[in-house]
Amino acid sequence: MFDSSLIIALQQARRVVVFTGAGASAESGIPTFRDALTGLWENFDPAQLATPEAYFANPDLVWAWYEWRRQLVTDCQPNAGHVAAASLQDHVDQVAVVTQNVDDLHERAGSSDVVHLHGSLHHPYCSSCSQPHNFSGAVADGAPLVAEPKDGLPPPACTYCDGMIRPGVVWFGESLPQAEWQRAHRLVADCDVLFSIGTSSVVYPAADLPRRAHASGAQVVQINPSETGLEDWVHHNLVGPAGRLLPQLLQAAFPDEPSPAA
Ligand code: BV8
Ligand code: ZN
């Protein structure tokens, strides 16, 4: 099933980076960026909505989209791929998850070192004074969030300056958070194995990380049902869903691992 060189590389690894994109959350029921959006959002292109221009031009629409996504994430569960990535911590000295995702499913699966390159749905802040905003309720500030807010949802006002609250994510055209980006660089330069899981590898500068790992001499493992263009920088290309392949790989490398959920 798996190449013996991959099994040995994993067994001997001391530092592993798990680099993930939207596909890692797909089996939890969260649409990926390049899946066609369904329902109200099917007429929108995520890349168009995930921009400062869209937010300032139509804050109610953009805030509604993010609150719908936050509600979706809150209602979803980590999948077997997230759980396997977390259980790597039982077998490898240092496991760091470097994710493009804005959900908290890696943390909820038990990963203790998660670097969010593109921010988080759970850490909104003021678009004027940058003060963090605390959601008062489980969803949109206590108001019951309809499945897909048809008429938009006005962003809450900042309690410090009355400015508009924005999602705590990195939009297209915005710089990645310096600390996270620097840390990701160091982790990738030092790792023995890098997994690239569930990413189409089209969004930069994050998409550079697997190539940097390859250049630093790490074993690069891709897990994706589709081609991504990263194949030339990958030592082991596992074609299929992460929720099946990552648990199976861990069981092959660490037989004492409890068998993946059937
Ligand atoms: C920036 C948060 C500096 C918001 C997101 C070169 C260098 C630098 C910048 C650029 C450059 N070229 C172009 C740019 C600009 C831009 C960019 O990369 N554009 C792309 C579209 C060409 N980059 C930026 O703007 C970045 N900022 O560079 O700052 C700067 C500053 C000012 C001026 C100039 C430069 C900021 C990018 C961050 C954008 N924010 N997310 C939100 O979530 O709403 S990115 C967004 O796309 C998500 O984070 C998502 O994760 C990410 C990448 O997509 P993927 O994760 O790969 O998801 P996708 O749907 O594409 O693919 C899913 C994959 O999963 C597929 O391959 C599928 O086959 C697979 N899959 C499906 N099911 C499964 C599976 N795999 C495994 N198992 C399964 N079951
Ligand atoms: Zn403010």
Side-chain angles (χ1 to χ4, degrees):
M1 171 93 184
F2 299 106
D3 190 298
S4 57
S5 63
L6 170 56
I7 299 290
I8 293 165
L10 203 45
Q11 289 170 336
Q12 293 178 347
R14 291 192 51 250
R15 288 181 295 269
V16 171
V17 169
V18 181
F19 174 61
T20 62
S25 298
E27 290 160 89
S28 295
I30 298 176
T32 68
F33 252 65
R34 275 138 200 101
D35 283 342
L37 284 185
T38 55
L40 172 71
W41 313 108
E42 66 189 71
N43 302 321
F44 295 96
D45 169 6
Q48 296 309 314
L49 282 175
T51 62
E53 293 76 17
Y55 171 72
F56 287 105
N58 193 336
D60 294 10
L61 174 75
V62 173
W63 182 255
W65 184 51
Y66 280 92
E67 280 299 88
W68 173 71
R69 288 173 62 191
R70 186 168 70 94
Q71 168 85 60
L72 191 64
V73 167
T74 306
D75 296 345
C76 287
Q77 295 306 320
N79 63 59
H82 293 112
V83 172
S87 63
L88 254 178
Q89 295 167 140
D90 303 334
H91 303 282
V92 177
D93 284 354
Q94 185 195 73
V95 180
V97 173
V98 175
T99 188
Q100 301 171 88
N101 299 339
V102 294
D103 62 51
D104 58 351
L105 296 179
H106 281 299
E107 292 90 336
R108 286 163 54 193
S111 288
S112 53
D113 186 1
V114 182
V115 179
H116 281 274
L117 295 177
H118 295 160
S120 163
L121 288 168
H122 302 284
H123 300 297
Y125 62 92
C126 176
S127 58
S128 302
C129 72
S130 300
Q131 280 289 335
H133 174 74
N134 294 315
F135 286 118
S136 53
V139 284
D141 285 353
L145 184 66
V146 293
E148 291 179 31
K150 297 271 182 285
D151 306 323
L153 208 57
C158 171
T159 47
Y160 298 89
C161 77
D162 211 28
M164 255 190 334
I165 297 302
R166 59 162 285 173
V169 301
V170 178
W171 279 322
F172 288 101
E174 293 186 321
S175 300
L176 274 59
Q178 266 304 317
E180 283 78 1
W181 183 235
Q182 299 299 340
R183 174 118 202 280
H185 262 252
R186 282 196 308 278
L187 287 166
V188 163
D190 297 344
C191 72
D192 304 308
V193 174
L194 176 133
F195 285 95
S196 180
I197 300 177
T199 180
S200 58
S201 291
V202 298
V203 174
Y204 285 83
D208 242 356
L209 293 176
R211 294 170 177 81
R212 288 172 180 270
H214 184 276
S216 305
Q219 286 283 300
V220 179
V221 189
Q222 177 170 255
I223 302 182
N224 197 314
S226 313
E227 283 225 339
T228 64
L230 189 65
E231 284 70 27
D232 291 346
W233 287 272
V234 167
H235 299 96
H236 308 278
N237 194 30
L238 310 182
V239 180
R244 173 167 60 79
L245 288 175
L246 192 55
Q248 287 176 342
L249 174 59
L250 262 63
Q251 196 185 4
F254 308 109
D256 60 348
E257 176 78 11
S259 63

